[in-house]
Amino acid sequence: MRSKIIPISNVQRLAEAADALLNRAYGMPGMGLVEGPTGYGKTTAVAWLVTRVNGVFVRALATTTPSSLLDSICKELGIGKRSTNVATVEDIVRKLAETGRPLFIDEADYLADKRRLIETLRDIHDLATVPVVLIGMHGFRRKLTPLQQLTGRIAQWVDFQAASEFDARVLARELAEVDVDDALVGKLHAAAQGSVRLLVVGLAQIEQRAKNRGLRKIGVNEWGHGDFFVGVAPQGNKVVRPMLRPVSA
Amino acid sequence: MTPRLANQRRRMVAARGADKREKLWRAMRILRTFSIGELAAVTELASVKSVSAFCSELRRAGYLTVQRGNHHKSECARYHLIRDSGPLAPWAMNHSSAIYDPNEDKEYSIR
């Protein structure tokens, strides 16, 4: 298996949105929103983007307050915290404006019903004029709709969707070091239920079996009836099979 | 090579390594759980070998734990970042006998 980021539709839309935010005209709003269920490759794609653009990445928690959020941003920027939040925001804004680094907030669902937090981020966005990207679970955008001062600033919105069969074929072609027949890719795609992570795991299994048998090309007949996802290590605190995860309320 | 050129060259080599480390460290902190392949893909570093070497150092210094799948293949191993000390990448010193953490200004020995 090869290790690389494949520009399947989700990744491509994310890259295009980031490009638009980073190169927007002066004075245009620059907030972005990324949402999607677990397993659709959101975290991997975001990690790729943040690493690429040298973004400032912080993670919100259920217990996040405006002060603790500012604290996390300060730590990432390597600056000390001041005695008041107002002074801290000023320092953060100065540092962000100087470096032009975009700000990414993961698990932003936790902020949706905390007005002061959202407004703090809006202030940072308005004053530093760097892109601010909020990342959340599926349905996160709807929760923000009542906050009009915020939604007016959202210039880009990327909704991570289930991988299509076409995406699966692109992944098979780019990642597997053997030829995987389209029908077998179709079978894998149905089993993976749109999860990019499971598609990659399945392709590795298929490639392994083909290599074990010395095959250059593998199809449904050669594959037989095996489980595509044998030996999947649990993924931290996340549910591996994404469709089983309820949409958070 | 004159000593000056040699020094310059060493600095350049060190700087190149630092850039890679910073990238890998940043990606690890975002992903928290990852495989070597994912990390190489996310950071767009072609050399899986050097990615793997850095992870091994961090694991032996207690930054990462490793969790293998049902079968013991290194590609299937998933790493967890358990000591996220801050934004600056730790680096190996003294011929890889210890890791220096610039966030905490502390040394961790590599076992």
Side-chain angles (χ1 to χ4, degrees):
Chain A
M1 289 286 280
R2 304 182 188 101
S3 308
K4 53 182 176 175
I5 295 288
I6 308 302
I8 53 173
S9 40
N10 285 331
V11 177
Q12 201 161 0
R13 286 186 296 127
L14 181 67
E16 279 164 12
D19 227 41
L21 288 181
L22 287 165
N23 300 315
R24 72 195 190 284
Y26 178 79
M28 294 302 283
M31 289 192 86
L33 212 151
V34 180
E35 67 168 11
T38 316
Y40 287 3
K42 196 176 53 180
T43 307
T44 311
V46 166
W48 166 75
L49 177 65
V50 175
T51 312
R52 201 167 215 218
V53 300
N54 190 13
V56 179
F57 182 89
V58 293
R59 200 172 268 122
L61 301 168
T63 48
T64 296
T65 63
S67 173
S68 76
L69 181 74
L70 294 178
D71 202 19
S72 315
I73 299 173
C74 280
K75 261 192 204 133
E76 290 308 304
L77 289 170
I79 55 180
K81 205 169 177 240
R82 300 271 292 269
S83 53
T84 66
N85 281 349
V86 177
T88 308
V89 168
E90 280 172 2
D91 282 2
I92 290 172
V93 163
R94 192 173 311 127
K95 188 81 177 176
L96 286 174
E98 254 171 42
T99 54
R101 294 173 71 187
L103 178 61
F104 292 81
I105 313 286
D106 197 15
E107 314 281 359
D109 307 68
Y110 288 130
L111 312 185
D113 51 0
K114 292 177 183 160
R115 210 189 171 82
R116 284 196 54 213
L117 271 167
I118 291 285
E119 281 169 359
T120 304
L121 287 176
R122 193 199 61 198
D123 286 346
I124 292 175
H125 161 266
D126 289 358
L127 296 169
T129 66
V130 292
V132 174
V133 180
L134 307 178
I135 302 145
M137 292 290 288
H138 183 60
F140 164 56
R141 187 195 192 200
R142 220 181 34 234
K143 281 199 263 178
L144 293 179
T145 318
L147 305 166
Q148 277 170 10
Q149 317 97 302
L150 185 81
T151 47
R153 287 169 171 81
I154 293 176
Q156 294 291 330
W157 169 54
V158 181
D159 179 14
F160 267 64
Q161 285 156 2
S164 66
E165 195 163 342
F166 180 76
D167 287 336
R169 277 191 214 145
V170 173
L171 287 170
R173 199 176 56 228
E174 297 288 331
L175 295 180
E177 288 169 37
V178 296
D179 228 347
V180 185
D181 178 66
D182 276 354
L184 183 54
V185 174
K187 213 175 156 187
L188 170 64
H189 175 253
Q193 296 181 305
S195 157
V196 177
R197 181 170 135 75
L198 289 182
L199 281 174
V200 174
V201 169
L203 284 171
Q205 296 277 348
I206 291 171
E207 181 192 286
Q208 194 57 47
R209 189 170 294 190
K211 280 186 170 170
N212 287 348
R213 298 189 188 170
L215 300 171
R216 298 274 302 279
K217 188 172 163 60
I218 180 164
V220 177
N221 289 336
E222 289 83 12
W223 172 256
H225 296 284
D227 183 351
F228 288 115
F229 313 125
V230 168
V232 181
Q235 192 189 16
N237 53 1
K238 286 177 183 165
V239 177
V240 174
R241 303 202 179 197
M243 299 310 277
L244 299 179
R245 186 175 178 130
V247 174
S248 62
Chain B
M1 205 181 287
T2 66
R4 209 177 114 215
L5 264 179
N7 268 338
Q8 219 166 38
R9 207 181 133 79
R10 214 169 304 149
R11 263 205 305 276
M12 275 166 65
V13 171
R16 201 160 55 211
D19 184 49
K20 256 193 207 171
R21 269 197 311 271
E22 296 293 343
K23 255 189 166 172
L24 286 169
W25 179 246
R26 213 179 299 149
M28 282 181 203
R29 295 182 67 225
I30 298 172
L31 293 169
R32 284 187 298 185
T33 302
F34 50 85
S35 69
I36 299 287
E38 271 168 34
L39 203 55
V42 160
T43 51
E44 296 177 287
L45 296 174
S47 159
V48 173
K49 223 175 173 180
S50 69
V51 173
S52 171
F54 186 49
C55 287
S56 161
E57 281 172 355
L58 289 182
R59 181 182 58 77
R60 289 187 293 145
Y63 283 83
L64 303 175
T65 56
V66 67
Q67 195 174 26
R68 289 173 205 281
N70 291 351
H71 40 148
H72 297 257
K73 264 189 301 168
S74 62
E75 307 139 54
C76 296
R78 293 193 74 74
Y79 289 83
H80 293 265
L81 179 63
I82 53 170
R83 189 191 298 140
D84 180 358
S85 50
L88 303 173
W91 42 274
M93 46 188 279
N94 302 341
H95 305 287
S96 293
S97 68
I99 290 265
Y100 174 71
D101 193 317
N103 302 295
E104 301 172 332
D105 189 22
K106 237 164 116 176
E107 275 176 40
Y108 293 96
S109 63
I110 294 180
R111 278 159 295 142

